[in-house]
Amino acid sequence: MKTKAFIFDLDGVIVDTAKYHFLAWQNVAKSLGINFTHEDNEQLKGVSRVQSLELILALGNVQITDEQKQEYLLKKNEEYLTYIDKMDESEILPGVMDVLNFLKENKQPIILGSASKNARPILEKVNILHYFDDIVDGNDVSNAKPDPEVFLVGAKKANQTATNSIVFEDSVAGIQAANSAGMTSVGIGEKTVLNEADYNFNDFTEISKDFLLKLINQ
Ligand code: G6P
Ligand code: MG
């Protein structure tokens, strides 16, 4: 059996936190008098907290001072953390545990590659922090996806080359980051949205052991 680095995004791949990000951003948008829909929220997936606020401001063509931006970022995260605080194992997305267990049994490095600065507390809340050999999150990198930095750092931590790395992602920015790093990209979600991915699945229940073995031994 060969060894590869298996790099997982967090939000929308392991847990469905996109709904919590949305609720918190929607309240920020409301305070700013900006209409913010579910559709607009798609653009925020995989995007850092600061850039998400910039996108919302651009959407409403609203300008605020840097000080106000800091206040809104703080307000957004405080609300988001109240949702996170209530999370448990039941919020792990379908099929994720089977894939993680199979990779662990086959001694494959499991790495987290997320833009979130809340990655560790979320993994702790849903009780799977111990599955990860390393975590690269929003606190460790300065360039947000679609820049490949987060995944390149992740591969390095697993002592693997980019070509020996596989990325699971639910965002367009994340798939682009994996592709530009020269990694194998696996899109989790709408194929029409994630059409740049090397492989597409609606969720992890569609990922078979044979497919994982193929990735490991390719
Ligand atoms: C992920 C999510 C984004 C979020 C970003 C930063 O990439 O998909 O929606 O804005 O992480 O998350 P944070 O928890 O640091 O605000
Ligand atoms: Mg994501």
Side-chain angles (χ1 to χ4, degrees):
M1 180 94 60
K2 293 185 183 174
T3 305
K4 296 285 181 322
F6 284 84
I7 309 177
F8 292 79
D9 174 46
L10 176 67
D11 296 285
V13 168
I14 291 174
V15 283
D16 181 19
T17 40
K19 60 185 180 214
Y20 302 139
H21 281 295
F22 177 66
L23 288 173
W25 281 130
Q26 206 174 31
N27 279 330
V28 167
K30 211 167 151 193
S31 328
L32 288 160
I34 300 168
N35 184 35
F36 179 64
T37 64
H38 258 113
E39 214 170 64
D40 299 324
N41 193 50
E42 278 302 308
Q43 291 176 50
L44 268 51
K45 286 188 179 170
V47 173
S48 72
R49 198 180 307 165
V50 176
Q51 281 181 320
S52 298
L53 178 62
E54 294 294 349
L55 280 169
I56 292 170
L57 290 169
L59 200 72
N61 203 11
V62 170
Q63 271 108 38
I64 55 173
T65 64
D66 285 350
E67 203 175 57
Q68 286 171 312
K69 284 181 190 171
Q70 288 311 317
E71 281 168 24
Y72 279 112
L73 289 170
L74 198 69
K75 188 169 165 271
K76 187 268 169 181
N77 198 49
E78 277 172 359
E79 183 177 336
Y80 181 64
L81 289 176
T82 65
Y83 302 127
I84 297 310
D85 200 44
K86 298 188 191 90
M87 286 181 85
D88 61 24
E89 286 97 332
S90 67
E91 301 209 34
I92 296 173
L93 287 165
V96 169
M97 291 317 297
D98 287 338
V99 171
L100 291 180
N101 281 319
F102 184 79
L103 295 175
K104 266 266 163 286
E105 280 159 24
N106 288 285
K107 300 191 169 42
Q108 300 298 311
I110 302 175
I111 309 288
L112 192 87
S114 166
S116 174
K117 293 187 171 174
N118 297 304
R120 278 175 193 272
I122 293 172
L123 291 174
E124 267 170 25
K125 273 276 163 200
V126 300
N127 214 5
I128 53 168
L129 183 63
H130 57 284
Y131 274 83
F132 291 84
D133 296 294
D134 246 302
I135 289 172
V136 187
D137 65 18
N139 301 297
D140 306 310
V141 293
S142 38
N143 300 303
K145 300 168 191 176
D147 188 284
E149 185 184 7
V150 65
F151 296 143
L152 290 170
V153 173
K156 208 169 175 191
K157 295 219 182 226
N159 288 319
Q160 293 295 329
T161 59
T163 22
N164 275 347
S165 301
I166 294 114
V167 172
F168 296 94
E169 256 293 347
D170 72 314
S171 72
V172 176
I175 293 293
Q176 289 170 343
N179 289 346
S180 72
M183 299 178 175
T184 299
S185 56
V186 183
I188 305 291
E190 277 284 324
K191 191 181 171 152
T192 47
V193 179
L194 306 174
N195 54 19
E196 292 172 57
D198 294 321
Y199 301 97
N200 289 91
F201 298 96
N202 286 308
D203 61 46
F204 281 93
T205 63
E206 292 180 0
I207 297 186
S208 68
K209 290 180 177 165
D210 282 349
F211 174 71
L212 293 172
L213 283 172
K214 187 178 110 181
L215 291 176
I216 294 169
N217 291 316
Q218 73 188 357

